[in-house]
């Protein structure tokens, strides 16, 4: 914005400034409208979250470009903005290295005396040094005694995951995090290393990943065992295209995700997730994965989970997901006017507003509040459901949606009986999204064994993220500990959450 007192006197220059600002304002208005539509407008339940983020990124980038143009125009016209724009730069973490630069003015004064410090202005900016490669040179001197022939002594060579190989454990961790957290396939990593003059072919990196996955498997097994000792878990599955040997085609396997997240009700167990690759989607795979588990399992409406109800011990209770019920009604509203579906969505939304208020309360407090606030809504919803199922054709889109809700009703309303139960299965769906992102970049896994390696490493990385632990530091520390002979009997000490409860991954 131009300050009126500093406007130029030339009429032509004034007109040029006005036209430029009108053009900039029009572009900003269009971008803001697009931003609001992307942020607040109706979105399909099937929208890809990554694509949605990409849309916002591009809009925000375009807005910043116009603002930079405005700043440049103001400087070119030798005028200043009326006031600085308010921006939220956040705060820089305290653990980052601080490099101080002191800019001293001329200290001499016109009177001949020396000026003295009365204060200072301090600013912080984020500086990034691109990834640096270095070579660790290990020397092991040999010593002998000049006075006797007692032999030669030398310190033993330190143990490494890749015996006799070039990578340190930190390098292995970098490759794993780049592939399974940042979704960079190995061939792209090889291209990045090549720009630094380091020639590592994809097969070499693949060998490093395979060896690391083998060494990390006991930690993964301990993670899975710890999760199955819980009495309440989430489960979901997602397709995993895998190359079929000898056919030059892909077959469809599945990643099964088993997750724990008790944070919404203040549970003491840390959050975690373990993925398992299986060649199919049969409920038999879920039964095998959950061997040894008993308790509440929150799932979507996939019929394969019903196999768990046929266990002789009857030790699994299936709880269903209101987000999937809501999605069925939402899909109906997208094809045209659907007043019944809209009514159902409004009632479900009321349940979610209550849950938002209850997040963070204890299980008992949540249960009491649900009985008081949510149960009347559920009772009314049950009556509404029966009445409208009688009004509409069972084969219509609305009828199909209502039939789905009625089919899973008993499992949908169990949240009224246990304050630990969530309204939906979203916690496990969030953990499985990185698998989908990696699948898009890698296209498919090359082999069933490769898919299980994927599951092992992704489990540890995603569990790190759930616990607020930096994955590279964790994996580097764990691999170093394993190479150094960490005892199998104490394998639980290497689980991610133990890094924040007395064990530092960097000091394993």
């Amino acid at each position: 914005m131009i300050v009126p007192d500093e406007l130029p006197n030339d009429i032509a220059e004034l007109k040029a400034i006005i036209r430029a600002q009108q053009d900039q304002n029009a572009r900003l208005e269009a971008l803001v409208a697009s931003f609001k539509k992307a942020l607040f407008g109706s979105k399909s339940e099937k929208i890809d979250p990554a694509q949605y983020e990409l849309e916002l990124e591009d809009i925000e980038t375009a807005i910043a470009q116009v603002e930079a143009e405005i700043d440049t125009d103001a400087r070119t016209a030798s005028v200043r903005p009326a006031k600085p724009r308010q921006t939220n730069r956040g705060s820089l973490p305290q653990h980052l290295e601080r490099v101080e630069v002191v800019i001293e003015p001329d200290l001499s004064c016109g009177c001949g005396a020396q000026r003295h410090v009365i204060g200072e202005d301090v600013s912080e900016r984020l500086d990034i040094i691109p990834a640096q490669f270095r070579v660790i040179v290990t020397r092991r001197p040999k010593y002998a005694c000049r006075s006797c022939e007692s032999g030669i002594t030398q310190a033993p060579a330190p143990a490494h995951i890749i015996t006799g190989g070039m990578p340190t454990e930190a390098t292995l961790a970098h490759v794993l995090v780049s592939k399974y957290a940042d979704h960079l396939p190995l061939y792209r990593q090889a291209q990045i290393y090549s720009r630094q003059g380091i020639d590592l072919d994809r097969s070499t990196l693949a060998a490093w990943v395979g060896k690391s996955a083998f060494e990390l498997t006991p930690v993964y097994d301990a993670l899975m065992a710890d999760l199955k000792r819980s009495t309440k878990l989430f489960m979901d599955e997602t397709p995993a295209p895998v190359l079929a040997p000898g056919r030059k085609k892909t077959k469809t396997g599945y990643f099964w995700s088993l997750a724990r997240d008790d944070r919404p009700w203040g549970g003491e167990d840390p959050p975690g997730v373990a993925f398992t690759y299986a060649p199919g989607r049969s409920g038999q795979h879920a039964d095998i994965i959950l061997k040894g588990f008993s308790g509440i399992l929150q799932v979507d409406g996939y019929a394969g989970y019903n196999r768990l109800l046929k266990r002789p011990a009857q030790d699994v209770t299936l709880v269903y997901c209101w987000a999937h019920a809501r999605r069925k009604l939402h899909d109906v509203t997208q094809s045209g006017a659907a007043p019944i579906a809209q009514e159902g969505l409004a009632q479900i939304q009321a349940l979610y507003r209550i849950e938002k208020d209850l997040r963070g309360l204890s299980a008992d407090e949540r249960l009491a509040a649900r009985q008081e606030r949510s149960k009347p809504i559920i009772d009314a919803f049950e009556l509404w459901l029966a009445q409208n199922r009688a009004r509409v054709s069972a084969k219509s889109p609305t009828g199909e949606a209502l039939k789905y809700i009625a089919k899973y009703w008993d499992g949908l309303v169990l949240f009224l009986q246990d304050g630990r139960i969530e309204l939906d299965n979203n916690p496990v769906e969030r953990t499985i999204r990185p698998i989908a992102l990696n699948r898009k970049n890698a296209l498919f896994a090359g082999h069933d064994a490769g898919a299980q390696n994927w599951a092992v490493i992704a489990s540890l990385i995603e569990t790190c993220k759930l616990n607020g632990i930096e994955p590279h530091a964790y994996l580097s520390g764990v691999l170093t500990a394993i190479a150094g002979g960490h005892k199998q009997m104490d394998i639980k000490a290497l689980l991610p959450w133990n890094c924040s409860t007395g064990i530092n991954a960097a000091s394993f």
Side-chain angles (χ1 to χ4, degrees):
M1 179 177 178
I2 306 298
V3 178
D5 292 341
E6 299 181 355
L7 286 172
N9 295 320
D10 183 72
I11 299 299
E13 190 174 349
L14 279 172
K15 289 182 178 179
I17 291 175
I18 292 171
R19 283 195 295 269
Q21 291 194 339
Q22 288 175 336
D23 176 61
Q24 291 161 353
N25 289 340
R27 288 155 61 194
L28 280 173
E29 287 172 0
L31 287 168
V32 169
S34 298
F35 186 87
K36 287 181 177 179
K37 181 179 179 181
L39 196 59
F40 304 114
S42 60
K43 296 179 282 292
S44 168
E45 285 277 348
K46 297 181 180 179
I47 191 169
D48 184 345
Q51 187 65 34
Y52 172 60
E53 292 293 336
L54 192 60
E55 180 181 5
L56 289 180
E57 278 183 19
D58 287 343
I59 295 172
E60 290 166 336
T61 300
I63 291 174
Q65 187 269 337
V66 177
E67 290 176 341
E69 182 180 324
I70 293 173
D71 288 345
T72 301
D73 288 348
R75 288 194 298 269
T76 302
S78 299
V79 297
R80 57 177 176 82
K83 62 178 182 178
R85 287 192 306 276
Q86 297 298 314
T87 57
N88 178 19
R89 295 185 176 87
S91 59
L92 297 175
Q94 291 301 313
H95 72 271
L96 296 180
E97 176 190 2
R98 257 63 179 179
V99 178
E100 293 198 357
V101 178
V102 180
I103 304 175
E104 295 280 8
D106 183 3
L107 299 181
S108 60
C109 184
C111 68
Q114 284 288 105
R115 289 186 171 93
H116 64 277
V117 176
I118 60 171
E120 64 178 1
D121 292 331
V122 179
S123 64
E124 292 189 345
R125 296 184 302 155
L126 182 63
D127 187 37
I128 297 177
I129 301 174
Q132 294 181 342
F133 296 87
R134 63 180 185 178
V135 178
I136 304 297
V137 180
T138 302
R139 301 185 186 277
R140 295 188 297 126
K142 297 179 181 180
Y143 293 89
C145 181
R146 295 182 183 275
S147 301
C148 65
E149 297 181 0
S150 59
I152 298 174
T153 184
Q154 184 183 35
H160 298 295
I161 293 294
I162 308 294
T163 304
M166 70 168 66
T168 64
E169 283 62 44
T171 299
L172 296 177
H174 179 79
V175 173
L176 297 179
V177 171
S178 296
K179 179 173 172 61
Y180 296 105
D182 300 330
H183 319 300
L184 279 174
L186 295 180
Y187 79 90
R188 293 184 185 170
Q189 293 189 51
Q191 292 171 351
I192 293 172
Y193 300 149
S194 179
R195 292 201 297 268
Q196 296 284 343
I198 300 171
D199 293 325
L200 291 171
D201 57 41
R202 180 194 48 76
S203 61
T204 298
L205 297 177
W208 294 357
V209 171
K211 175 63 173 173
S212 300
F214 170 78
E215 298 291 353
L216 290 169
T217 296
V219 185
Y220 162 83
D221 292 338
L223 171 62
M224 179 68 81
D226 191 275
L227 293 178
K228 290 197 290 185
R229 280 193 288 271
S230 304
T231 56
K232 177 186 169 294
L233 294 173
F234 300 89
M235 198 170 198
D236 197 11
E237 76 290 332
T238 190
V242 175
L243 192 63
R247 296 175 54 192
K248 297 184 179 180
K249 295 181 179 180
T250 59
K251 59 182 181 179
T252 301
Y254 284 84
F255 281 118
W256 295 76
S257 174
L258 191 64
R260 175 178 66 206
D261 192 348
D262 297 341
R263 292 173 294 181
W265 52 274
E268 295 182 356
D269 290 332
V273 59
F275 303 106
T276 303
Y277 170 76
R281 199 188 181 198
S282 164
Q284 176 184 4
H285 298 299
D287 199 8
I288 293 172
I289 293 168
L290 289 168
K291 183 178 180 180
F293 167 75
S294 61
I296 296 170
L297 187 69
Q298 193 149 7
V299 297
D300 56 23
Y302 172 50
Y305 293 112
N306 292 336
R307 182 186 179 97
L308 299 169
L309 302 177
K310 299 176 182 178
R311 286 181 170 181
Q314 295 287 301
D315 56 354
V316 174
T317 300
L318 294 183
V319 176
Y320 295 111
C321 172
W322 275 100
H324 283 77
R326 178 178 59 187
R327 192 170 302 161
K328 295 291 183 180
L329 294 173
H330 179 273
D331 289 345
V332 174
T333 65
Q334 299 306 292
S335 57
I340 294 177
Q342 291 286 4
E343 290 174 6
L345 286 175
Q347 295 179 80
I348 295 175
Q349 192 60 35
L351 293 175
Y352 272 92
R353 284 195 295 269
I354 295 171
E355 288 301 307
K356 185 177 180 181
D357 295 340
L358 305 184
R359 187 163 297 274
L361 299 181
S362 69
D364 290 340
E365 291 172 320
R366 280 158 53 109
L367 180 59
R370 285 169 175 174
Q371 285 293 319
E372 179 185 351
R373 301 174 59 187
S374 301
K375 191 174 186 305
I377 297 175
I378 290 295
D379 291 341
F381 193 104
E382 186 175 20
L383 179 61
W384 172 88
L385 182 63
Q387 291 174 343
N388 283 286
R389 287 193 72 196
R391 289 174 51 194
V392 302
S393 169
K395 295 184 179 180
S396 68
T398 299
E400 291 285 351
L402 298 180
K403 179 182 178 181
Y404 176 91
I405 297 173
K407 178 180 178 181
Y408 295 105
W409 183 258
D410 290 343
L412 285 171
V413 299
L414 285 177
F415 77 102
L416 295 176
Q417 301 176 20
D418 192 325
R420 300 174 302 161
I421 295 175
E422 292 301 302
L423 208 57
D424 54 40
N425 205 34
N426 287 350
V428 71
E429 290 198 356
R430 285 192 293 268
T431 67
I432 218 166
R433 282 176 188 166
I435 291 288
L437 286 174
N438 212 8
R439 183 179 63 215
K440 285 183 178 180
N441 283 346
L443 301 182
F444 54 82
H447 191 274
D448 285 354
Q452 183 55 29
N453 288 340
W454 186 344
V456 167
I457 300 168
S459 298
L460 298 177
I461 288 176
E462 293 306 315
T463 298
C464 278
K465 290 160 66 174
L466 286 173
N467 287 274
I469 296 167
E470 202 284 301
H472 181 274
Y474 166 75
L475 288 174
S476 179
V478 167
L479 290 170
T480 300
I482 293 173
H486 188 89
K487 293 181 180 179
Q488 182 74 22
M489 67 180 68
D490 194 28
I491 199 69
K492 289 193 293 185
L494 300 184
L495 290 173
W497 49 76
N498 285 328
C499 294
S500 58
T501 55
I503 298 181
N504 188 333
S507 63
F508 280 143

